[in-house]
């Protein structure tokens, strides 16, 4: 055998001298990932080792030699800084929070469980692939800052996502290093007997066991499941091996562990969530387990349990195209999830229907996003445009409702400002904004102080940050050249890479075809002229990975690599291999312009461009995702327009010409126009407006408050009300739903009249009267509405708004409702009447998509 296997294991840690023991306390709370002072403290322990361990303070501590420890113990200045950081962490943990101030009596009654397949917290914890994970990490950090009673749930991947290496031809190769969990800021969760806490998940012909790890993110615990335990067969130990690896069968196994196993882990830890937030559809199976646990706890049946559980579930989708959702065949679903579903009371066909748009279409596969929607009363997209696209995608699930009333709202993404802002810019804000910007990154009033920062000081910081990025890029390029050639890189080559004095553009993305990484290469001669302009040169820093199975994405990387190495652009362009949070941080802090050019509307949100904002960078992007709502000519640049052609080739040509024109005629001239003391005054004005207007709007401080106020707390209240008093409200709501569904075919709009004239003056009020046959229903069980708007082609009502009509009288089953419409717009105005079911504990149309329209 190659290596003997252990029969018993021990966790061994180095014993720090007493004065240095707070280092371990600081290392085990990932608040250091967004606290500059603590990161600087770790860096000062051993700068070279800090870089070697890739900013992992746990490994840093374990690798310190006795001589270095002895010097630190005698270093009074270091010990004072250590004490200061320790106190800052304690003060942070004990400080009053936004949640307690706004919901003073809810902490003990509310627990939010946030599930995601990946979490990007730091490059030191490589269990993320890109934007989804980094967004999830930023979400936890903001929840900590705001004091939300939230826990995270995810998977702990023993080889994480791949490390990227480019070969001599510029072709991406993947490396999967084995990760030592005991060398990370993680704790293995143990029971009272010190044995690791374990949970199990039933899979075909076997049971898979997982252990639980804990990461502490400020005030927020994150629990991560790991299947690499001896009790499991080798095949099952590999389930949590790599992120997004393997085939459909591996994917469903991972998603069972995340959703079903995650709920069981919380139960084993004594945590009973009132709200479960599914960040993407990967964790949607949690609904099955949550229902099963609820039925076992309360003795309720499936229908009653679902009535309660759905009220406490939240689903966020990040996918703008149907092909992006996880889908499983009925056979695969039945084989893996069937037993758990049956234990929860679901019949196989019932489960399948909940995962289809057309519930009875047996040719439609089971869709995890649709299943998540079917089990959540609160659903959102991650930008205004993405929510609109998502409503269009899923309108067929609510056939009687206009597209803009499909119950999918927008909560636009944000970024955790403290994680991504540079030390220099943070100190500048401290001086001119005070400490308020640190406490409330989402408050626009706080950011108005940016106007008072002297132009010279702001520009000096920007120049320093660009220089830091150039030095970082040169180190990375040197490392990559030496790895490929196996000899020391020539300094004359590396020293000529980039220039700290010229306009610097950053482009870093997952290399998927729709993100169009090579759009800048559409006219290579023109790009070279722009890069090498004698008076207004610019340079581009590029980074990003392609999915291991995406050869088209790898070819895009190769095209860029070859252009850089063969066209004479090496001094003006650099590709930084192995894009991770460390590379991202250097880029978003140092670039002058962040470039983003996806095919609209395929970018759900995008958050990289948000990260440059507090660092004084400017965005240049297609009007897609967050930039569609963030852009104005005062804060950045727009590539192309909102309209798209149907021909991708033609659209690419149009957008590439728009990009070149922006670089040549707007961006470069504005950046290099220096009149007052050598400062680019107009550019600095745009930087300030960008920070003031976009900084608070696109922060996770604002985003997580939105989730708390619009989703978490209403969901928690609904959940508590429905399960109170022996589930009385839930049973009442369920009985009402059944009765309304049976009675609805008899509901009809009998007659509609109004006192309007064919031509009416602006501001005139029209009284509308609707007579409605409710059958066996009562007036308080419905809402009768006049839906009014501008009349468009084909008699469509555009920008329609619903106005409730009030009950006036009844004659048998026919009831009269009246209300007033105010004519507030000129043009062709119209209305129609509809009837909706209404119950205080049933979400319409999320749970019940019935509607009766006035006959046309």
């Amino acid at each position: 055998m190659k290596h003997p296997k252990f029969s018993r294991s021990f966790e061994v840690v180095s014993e720090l001298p007493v004065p240095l023991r707070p280092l371990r306390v600081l290392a085990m709370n990932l608040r250091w990932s967004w606290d500059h002072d603590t990161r600087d403290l770790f860096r000062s322990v051993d700068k070279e080792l800090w870089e070697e361990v890739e900013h992992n303070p746990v490994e840093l501590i374990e690798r310190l030699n006795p001589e270095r420890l002895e010097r630190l113990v005698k270093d009074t200045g270091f010990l004072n800084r250590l004490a200061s950081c320790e106190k800052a962490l304690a003060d942070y943990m004990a400080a009053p929070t936004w949640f307690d101030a706004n919901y003073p009596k809810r902490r003990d009654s509310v627990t939010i469980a946030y599930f995601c397949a990946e979490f990007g917290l730091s490059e030191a914890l490589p269990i993320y692939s890109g934007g989804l994970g980094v967004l999830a990490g930023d979400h936890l950090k903001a929840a900590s800052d705001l004091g939300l009673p939230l826990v995270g749930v995810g998977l702990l991947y023993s080889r994480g996502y791949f490390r990227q290496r480019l070969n001599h031809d510029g072709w991406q190769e993947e490396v999967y290093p084995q990760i030592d969990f005991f060398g990370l800021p993680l704790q293995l969760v143990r029971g009272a007997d010190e044995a690791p806490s374990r949970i199990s998940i039933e899979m075909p012909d076997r049971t898979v066991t997982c252990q639980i790890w804990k990461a502490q993110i400020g005030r927020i615990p994150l629990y991560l499941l790991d299947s690499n335990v001896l009790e499991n067969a080798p095949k099952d130990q590999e389930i949590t091996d790599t992120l997004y690896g393997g085939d459909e069968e591996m994917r469903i196994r991972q998603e069972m562990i995340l959703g079903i196993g995650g709920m069981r882990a919380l139960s084993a830890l004594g945590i009973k969530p009132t709200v479960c937030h599914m960040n993407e559809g990967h964790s949607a199976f949690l609904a099955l387990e949550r229902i099963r646990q609820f039925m076992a706890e309360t003795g309720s049946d499936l229908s009653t349990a679902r009535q309660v559980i759905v009220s406490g579930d939240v689903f966020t989708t990040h996918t703008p195209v149907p092909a992006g959702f996880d889908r499983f065949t009925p056979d695969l679903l039945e084989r893996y999830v069937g037993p758990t579903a049956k234990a929860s009371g679901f019949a196989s066909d019932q489960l399948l229907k909940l995962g289809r748009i057309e519930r009875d279409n047996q040719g439609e596969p089971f869709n995890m996003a649709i299943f998540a929607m079917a089990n959540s009363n609160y659903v959102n997209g991650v930008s205004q445009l993405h929510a609109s696209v998502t409503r269009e995608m899923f309108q067929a699930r609510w056939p009687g409702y206009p597209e803009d009333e499909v119950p999918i709202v927008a909560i636009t993404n944000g970024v955790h400002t403290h994680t991504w802002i540079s030390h220099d810019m943070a100190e500048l804000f401290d001086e001119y904004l005070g400490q308020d910007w640190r406490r409330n990154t989402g408050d626009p009033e706080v950011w108005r102080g940016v106007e008072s920062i002297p132009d010279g000081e702001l520009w000096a910081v920007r120049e320093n940050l660009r220089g830091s990025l150039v030095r970082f890029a040169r180190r990375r390029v040197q490392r990559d050249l030496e790895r490929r050639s196996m000899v020391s890189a020539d300094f004359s080559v590396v020293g000529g890479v980039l220039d700290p004095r010229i306009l610097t553009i950053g482009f870093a993305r997952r290399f998927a075809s729709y993100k169009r990484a090579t759009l800048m290469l559409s006219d290579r001669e023109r790009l070279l002229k722009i890069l090498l302009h004698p008076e207004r040169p610019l340079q581009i820093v590029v980074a990003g990975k392609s999915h291991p199975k995406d050869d088209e994405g790898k070819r895009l990387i190769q095209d860029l690599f070859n252009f850089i190495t063969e066209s004479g652009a090496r001094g003006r362009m650099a590709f930084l291999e192995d894009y991770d949070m460390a590379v991202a941080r250097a880029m978003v802090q140092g670039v002058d312009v962040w470039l983003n050019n996806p095919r609209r509307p395929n970018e759900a949100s995008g958050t990289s461009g948000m990260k440059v904002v507090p660092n004084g960078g400017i965005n240049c992007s297609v009007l897609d995702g967050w930039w569609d709502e963030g852009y104005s000519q005062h804060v950045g640049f727009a590539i192309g327009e909102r309209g798209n052609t149907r021909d991708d080739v033609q659209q690419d040509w149009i957008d590439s010409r728009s990009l070149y024109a922006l670089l040549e005629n707007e961006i470069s001239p504005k950046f290099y126009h220096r009149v007052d003391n050598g400062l680019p005054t107009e550019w600095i004005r745009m930087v300030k407006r960008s920070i003031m207007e976009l900084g608070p709007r696109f922060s996770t401080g604002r985003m997580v408050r939105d989730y708390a106020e619009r989703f978490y707390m209403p969901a928690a209240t609904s959940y508590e009300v429905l399960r109170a008093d022996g589930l009385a409200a839930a049973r009442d709501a369920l009985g009402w739903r059944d009765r309304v569904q049976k009675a609805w075919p008899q509901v009809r709009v009998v007659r509609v009249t109004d006192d309007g004239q064919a031509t009416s003056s602006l501001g005139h009020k029209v009284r509308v009267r609707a007579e409605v046959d409710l059958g066996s229903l009562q007036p308080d069980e419905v809402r009768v509405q006049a839906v009014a708007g501008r009349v468009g082609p084909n008699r469509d009502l555009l920008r329609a708004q619903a106005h409730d009509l009030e009950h006036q009288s009844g004659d048998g089953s026919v009831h009269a409702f009246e209300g007033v419409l105010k004519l507030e717009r000129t043009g062709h105005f119209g209305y129609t009447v509809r009837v909706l079911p209404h119950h205080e504990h049933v979400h319409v149309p999320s749970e019940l998509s019935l509607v009766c329209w006035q006959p046309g």
Side-chain angles (χ1 to χ4, degrees):
M1 59 181 172
K2 188 174 182 180
H3 298 290
K5 305 295 185 182
F6 69 82
S7 59
R8 190 176 178 212
S9 64
F10 305 90
E11 184 177 350
V12 181
V13 296
S14 61
E15 191 68 29
L16 288 174
V18 172
L20 300 180
R21 287 181 184 172
L23 277 175
R24 198 177 300 281
V25 175
L26 293 173
M28 295 304 291
N29 189 318
L30 275 100
R31 179 176 172 271
W32 56 258
S33 68
W34 72 90
D35 182 70
H36 288 115
D37 291 341
T38 308
R39 289 174 64 87
D40 288 347
L41 178 77
F42 286 126
R43 184 181 294 107
S44 70
V45 168
D46 188 321
K47 185 175 180 180
E48 289 187 8
L49 183 57
W50 176 248
E51 296 301 325
E52 186 179 331
V53 300
E54 298 182 313
H55 309 154
N56 177 0
V58 174
E59 188 176 356
L60 175 81
I61 292 169
E62 295 302 330
R63 290 179 56 178
L64 289 175
N65 60 47
E67 293 78 14
R68 182 58 181 153
L69 289 172
E70 186 176 347
R71 288 198 298 272
L72 290 173
V73 168
K74 295 177 180 178
D75 186 337
T76 305
F78 178 83
L79 293 179
N80 288 339
R81 291 171 61 206
L82 174 59
S84 176
C85 288
E86 183 185 25
K87 182 177 184 301
L89 174 59
D91 289 346
Y92 174 86
M93 299 293 283
T97 68
W98 172 88
F99 182 84
D100 289 323
N102 287 273
Y103 303 98
K105 299 179 180 180
R106 300 304 302 277
R107 178 166 296 281
D108 293 336
S109 63
V110 174
T111 300
I112 303 140
Y114 180 90
F115 287 70
C116 192
E118 53 174 304
F119 286 90
L121 297 155
S122 162
E123 60 273 20
L125 190 57
I127 57 171
Y128 63 95
S129 70
L132 176 68
V134 173
L135 183 279
D138 281 9
H139 192 112
L140 297 193
K141 293 172 184 179
S144 173
D145 293 339
L146 295 168
L148 266 63
L150 183 144
V151 300
V153 182
L155 300 181
L156 186 58
Y157 304 96
S158 58
R159 294 199 295 166
Y161 202 51
F162 69 89
R163 306 297 298 267
Q164 180 192 54
R165 301 287 183 265
L166 301 189
N167 65 20
H168 290 282
D169 299 321
W171 189 257
Q172 174 182 289
E173 297 175 341
E174 296 86 33
V175 179
Y176 291 90
Q178 195 72 26
I179 299 169
D180 176 13
F181 296 157
F182 290 99
L184 296 173
L186 298 169
Q187 285 183 307
L188 184 60
V189 177
R190 299 179 183 274
D193 59 356
E194 290 301 309
S197 295
R198 302 283 173 88
I199 56 99
S200 59
I201 304 100
E202 298 76 23
M203 293 196 184
D205 304 323
R206 63 197 185 277
T207 296
V208 174
T209 299
C210 292
Q211 57 190 1
I212 309 167
W213 297 78
K214 177 185 175 184
Q216 191 68 35
I217 297 87
R219 302 178 175 97
I220 304 297
L222 168 62
Y223 297 103
L224 301 165
L225 298 179
D226 161 31
S227 71
N228 189 14
V229 297
L230 287 177
E231 290 91 330
N232 292 330
K235 184 178 181 181
D236 294 329
Q237 291 176 15
E238 297 173 358
I239 296 176
T240 57
D241 191 23
T242 59
L243 175 60
Y244 303 140
D247 55 14
E248 279 191 352
E249 194 161 353
M250 177 61 78
R251 180 63 66 89
I252 199 170
R253 291 155 75 198
Q254 286 187 337
E255 296 184 355
M256 287 178 68
I257 290 179
L258 176 60
I260 297 169
M263 285 301 300
R264 292 181 184 178
L266 293 178
S267 179
L269 296 167
I271 298 171
K272 295 183 178 181
T274 45
V275 176
C276 286
H277 184 169
M278 296 170 260
N279 192 44
E280 257 311 351
H282 309 113
S283 61
F285 290 139
L286 74 82
L288 293 177
E289 178 62 17
R290 194 175 186 200
I291 288 168
R292 188 195 67 78
Q293 290 182 13
F294 188 86
M295 291 168 65
E297 178 188 348
T298 63
S300 61
D301 58 58
L302 172 61
S303 297
T304 307
R306 276 201 74 231
Q307 184 69 42
V308 179
I309 295 305
V310 169
S311 72
D313 282 348
V314 172
F315 171 54
T316 297
T317 173
H318 297 255
T319 306
V321 292
F325 299 112
D326 284 341
R327 290 183 270 192
F328 301 117
T329 64
D331 289 345
L332 188 66
L333 185 75
E334 173 62 25
R335 189 153 56 91
Y336 273 92
V337 187
T340 302
K342 287 182 176 66
S344 304
F346 284 92
S348 297
D349 63 336
Q350 185 181 10
L351 181 66
L352 281 166
K353 287 179 179 180
L354 290 175
R356 292 171 173 159
I357 292 181
E358 298 179 20
R359 298 193 174 194
D360 295 319
N361 180 1
Q362 297 185 6
E364 183 180 343
F366 180 89
N367 185 314
M368 291 291 281
I370 296 170
F371 184 68
M373 287 182 191
N375 288 285
S376 302
N377 272 348
Y378 302 86
V379 181
N380 73 287
V382 290
S383 69
Q384 295 287 345
L385 179 59
H386 176 234
S388 176
V389 169
T390 306
R391 286 192 292 269
E392 181 181 0
M393 266 198 295
F394 293 110
Q395 184 183 12
R397 290 194 74 244
W398 292 272
Y401 282 80
E403 184 179 301
D404 58 2
E405 289 192 54
V406 169
I408 300 170
V409 302
I411 295 183
T412 302
N413 281 345
V415 297
H416 188 250
T417 307
H418 301 309
T419 294
W420 298 103
I421 195 169
S422 68
H423 201 322
D424 291 351
M425 193 65 80
E427 288 185 336
L428 192 65
F429 290 163
D430 285 342
E431 182 175 354
Y432 290 98
L433 277 65
Q435 292 293 308
D436 282 351
W437 77 273
R438 292 184 180 271
R439 289 187 287 265
N440 194 353
T441 56
D443 183 357
E445 288 300 319
V446 167
W447 292 95
R448 295 190 188 281
V450 168
E451 192 69 65
S452 67
I453 299 175
D455 287 359
E457 292 187 39
L458 179 59
W459 189 243
V461 170
R462 286 295 316 140
E463 298 265 60
N464 288 338
L465 292 176
R466 190 186 318 110
S468 296
L469 171 60
V470 169
R471 291 189 292 274
F472 176 89
R474 287 174 176 173
R475 289 194 300 270
R476 297 290 290 229
V477 169
Q478 179 177 6
R479 184 199 68 178
D480 298 337
L481 285 172
E482 291 176 349
R483 177 186 52 76
R484 283 196 290 271
S485 62
M486 304 303 290
V487 296
S488 296
D490 187 343
F491 178 76
S492 64
V493 174
V494 176
V497 173
L498 307 181
D499 184 328
R501 298 164 297 180
I502 69 176
L503 172 62
T504 303
I505 294 176
F507 180 94
R509 285 287 181 278
R510 177 168 58 88
F511 272 68
S513 57
Y514 78 86
K515 292 178 182 283
R516 300 190 298 184
T518 56
L519 188 72
M520 64 181 78
L521 303 184
S522 299
D523 186 335
R524 301 183 182 212
E525 289 186 9
R526 187 173 179 181
L527 176 61
L528 269 177
K529 289 180 181 178
I530 293 171
L531 293 172
L532 302 173
H533 193 285
E535 297 175 356
R536 299 191 299 271
L538 64 81
Q539 58 197 8
I540 305 175
V541 183
V542 183
K545 297 178 178 179
S546 171
H547 189 279
K549 296 180 179 179
D550 183 4
D551 283 353
E552 184 178 353
K554 292 181 182 182
R555 277 190 286 272
L556 297 176
I557 293 173
Q558 190 176 47
D559 284 349
L560 279 163
F561 179 89
N562 290 337
F563 177 77
I564 292 169
T565 55
E566 297 172 3
S567 68
R570 184 188 292 274
R572 289 289 182 266
M573 288 185 72
F575 188 97
L576 307 185
E577 294 182 31
D578 201 26
Y579 184 44
D580 65 0
M581 289 182 71
V583 175
R585 196 163 50 245
M587 289 183 67
V588 299
Q589 291 175 2
V591 299
D592 298 296
V593 176
W594 192 260
L595 176 62
N596 185 30
N597 44 233
R599 285 196 185 97
R600 189 179 192 269
N602 290 331
E603 187 83 277
S605 172
T607 56
S608 296
M610 301 175 188
K611 293 168 186 139
V612 307
V613 169
N615 289 295
I618 296 296
N619 278 275
C620 174
S621 175
V622 168
L623 292 168
D624 197 7
W626 79 281
W627 194 236
D628 185 65
E629 62 196 85
Y631 167 73
S632 75
Q633 61 181 349
H634 306 296
V635 300
F637 304 95
I639 300 170
E641 300 176 349
R642 288 187 168 88
N644 273 23
T645 68
R646 295 186 178 183
D647 185 330
D648 285 348
V649 174
Q650 182 183 8
Q651 190 63 51
D652 292 350
W653 185 88
I654 292 170
D655 288 344
S656 69
R657 269 55 198 169
S658 174
L659 171 60
Y660 294 140
L662 281 172
L663 295 175
E664 292 167 331
N665 304 325
E666 294 190 46
I667 294 174
S668 289
K670 185 168 288 190
F671 180 85
Y672 285 108
H673 183 61
R674 315 286 170 93
V675 287
D676 299 328
N677 301 316
L679 299 176
T681 306
E682 288 185 27
W683 187 270
I684 293 171
R685 185 179 298 116
M686 179 176 279
V687 166
K688 288 184 175 182
R689 287 180 174 175
S690 171
I691 296 171
M692 288 188 294
E693 294 182 22
L694 305 180
R697 283 177 61 192
F698 298 102
S699 73
T700 46
R702 185 274 311 156
M703 180 191 82
V704 174
R705 281 204 317 269
D706 282 353
Y707 276 112
E709 293 170 345
R710 298 174 61 186
F711 279 10
Y712 295 159
M713 299 314 293
T717 298
S718 294
Y719 178 83
E720 291 166 349
V721 168
L722 288 175
R723 68 166 298 158
D725 301 323
L727 308 180
R731 291 193 171 95
D732 175 67
L734 185 62
W736 177 85
R737 281 179 55 183
D738 290 343
R739 185 164 55 80
V740 167
Q741 285 177 313
K742 292 174 183 175
W744 201 254
Q746 281 72 54
V747 175
R748 62 191 180 94
V749 179
V750 177
R751 184 166 177 259
V752 177
T753 58
D754 62 63
D755 61 1
Q757 304 298 316
T759 302
S760 299
S761 58
L762 185 67
H764 181 72
K765 294 180 180 179
V766 176
R767 176 163 291 277
V768 175
R769 178 182 174 86
E771 296 174 16
V772 180
D773 189 340
L774 297 180
S776 60
L777 299 180
Q778 298 301 310
D780 61 354
E781 295 180 300
V782 300
R783 295 173 69 187
V784 178
Q785 298 176 327
V787 180
R790 185 169 60 83
V791 177
N794 302 317
R795 299 176 60 213
D796 293 335
L797 289 176
L798 307 179
R799 298 181 184 175
Q801 293 183 326
H803 304 264
D804 286 338
L805 307 182
E806 295 184 0
H807 182 250
Q808 299 296 316
S809 61
D811 183 6
S813 64
V814 177
H815 293 261
F817 296 80
E818 291 186 6
V820 171
L821 299 179
K822 186 176 181 181
L823 306 181
E824 296 180 311
R825 298 182 208 154
T826 58
H828 193 189
F829 179 87
Y831 76 91
T832 188
V833 170
R834 70 180 180 188
V835 186
L836 307 177
H838 173 69
H839 189 285
E840 62 176 330
H841 298 315
V842 177
H843 283 242
V844 176
S846 298
E847 292 182 67
L848 195 61
S849 59
L850 300 176
V851 60
C852 173
W853 290 92
Q854 174 185 349

